[in-house]
Amino acid sequence: QKEVEQNSGPLSVPEGAIASLNCTYSDRGSQSFFWYRQYSGKSPELIMSIYSNGDKEDGRFTAQLNKASQYVSLLIRDSQPSDSATYLCAVNPVTYKYIFGTGTRLKVLA
Amino acid sequence: EAGVTQFPSHSVIEKGQTVTLRCDPISGHDNLYWYRRVMGKEIKFLLHFVKESKQDESGMPNNRFLAERTGGTYSTLKVQPAELEDSGVYFCASSQEIAGGYEQYFGPGTRLTVT
């Protein structure tokens, strides 16, 4: 079992729809959770961080964390073609290092 | 504010040669990290510096890899001698401690190709 699992996709959604990206992790002691967006050939860009159970909203993005189920998700409302990218889930166990999933490729269709 | 920068952006070397990658973190960030992504795999942690001290180098593949951060500013990652399996994208990230977490900011990466 991988430490952080994501569906590789591609996840295709029409413009204006809600994109839902999911991530599960195996280390129950994990404390911090992050979503990065990566365009092809570019650096991973931090878009959301979440540290406690529940929802955290920032503009069109909502991160959801459920530690009991070891599950973190990212919702993108009103999806735009410019949101087409690979979304990486990163989990921070008790040490400083991040454990990454392989990423989910999102395609927003105009 | 300048982000994390890395040099070179791309390096092609032959097996057995030496390559040195450089990372300049965001100014004021004490924490510096190296990660690597090989084709088709997830980004994997290599090591972590706090200022000039290595805090965790558990992800370094073997002793052909040497990382330094003299003076606690920029860092270098040297691969000597390079092998084919070292090919991949090497990312550097930096962070400063914030309440409850350590948000890491990534550089653009160095794509290393060993032929």
Side-chain angles (χ1 to χ4, degrees):
Chain A
Q1 182 192 7
K2 288 188 176 181
E3 294 180 86
V4 177
E5 297 220 41
Q6 295 181 256
N7 189 317
S8 60
L11 173 66
S12 295
V13 299
E15 183 175 357
I18 296 175
S20 178
L21 304 160
N22 304 315
C23 172
T24 58
Y25 59 94
S26 60
D27 187 340
R28 190 170 286 278
S30 299
Q31 299 295 317
S32 309
F33 307 85
F34 306 88
W35 284 99
Y36 285 81
R37 177 176 63 196
Q38 187 176 25
Y39 295 111
S40 182
K42 302 295 185 182
S43 60
E45 175 193 6
L46 179 65
I47 54 173
M48 289 290 283
S49 59
I50 187 166
Y51 305 106
S52 56
N53 280 328
D55 293 0
K56 178 181 178 183
E57 186 175 319
D58 184 359
R60 295 186 297 112
F61 300 100
T62 298
Q64 300 174 316
L65 174 61
N66 184 326
K67 289 186 179 179
S69 300
Q70 295 173 241
Y71 174 95
V72 58
S73 65
L74 178 70
L75 301 178
I76 306 174
R77 288 182 300 281
D78 189 24
S79 295
Q80 300 297 308
S82 59
D83 295 325
S84 298
T86 296
Y87 288 80
L88 302 169
C89 173
V91 174
N92 182 208
V94 294
T95 60
Y96 284 69
K97 65 185 181 187
Y98 284 7
I99 310 296
F100 280 90
T102 52
T104 297
R105 193 153 62 95
L106 174 66
K107 297 174 89 171
V108 180
L109 308 172
Chain B
E1 177 185 274
V4 177
T5 58
Q6 294 186 243
F7 182 84
S9 58
H10 193 183
S11 179
V12 181
I13 61 171
E14 293 183 353
K15 175 181 172 180
Q17 290 186 321
T18 297
V19 63
T20 300
L21 314 181
R22 173 172 169 142
C23 168
D24 286 79
I26 293 171
S27 178
H29 282 193
D30 288 338
N31 295 284
L32 186 149
Y33 315 80
W34 284 97
Y35 290 85
R36 177 174 73 172
R37 185 169 199 168
V38 298
M39 188 173 298
K41 303 285 189 179
E42 67 273 23
I43 296 173
K44 285 200 169 179
F45 170 82
L46 296 178
L47 87 161
H48 167 220
F49 284 99
V50 177
K51 297 184 179 178
E52 66 275 8
S53 299
K54 290 177 188 175
Q55 291 295 296
D56 181 355
E57 48 186 332
S58 61
M60 294 287 263
N62 50 60
N63 60 10
R64 296 185 294 103
F65 289 75
L66 175 65
E68 294 180 321
R69 192 183 182 194
T70 306
T73 54
Y74 72 91
S75 174
T76 58
L77 179 64
K78 181 192 287 189
V79 184
Q80 178 183 31
E83 298 289 345
L84 298 179
E85 64 265 25
D86 300 333
S87 296
V89 181
Y90 290 76
F91 291 103
C92 175
S94 71
S95 74
Q96 59 184 151
E97 183 171 348
I98 61 171
Y102 306 89
E103 296 184 344
Q104 297 182 18
Y105 297 90
F106 280 73
T110 294
R111 180 174 296 277
L112 175 64
T113 303
V114 183
T115 62

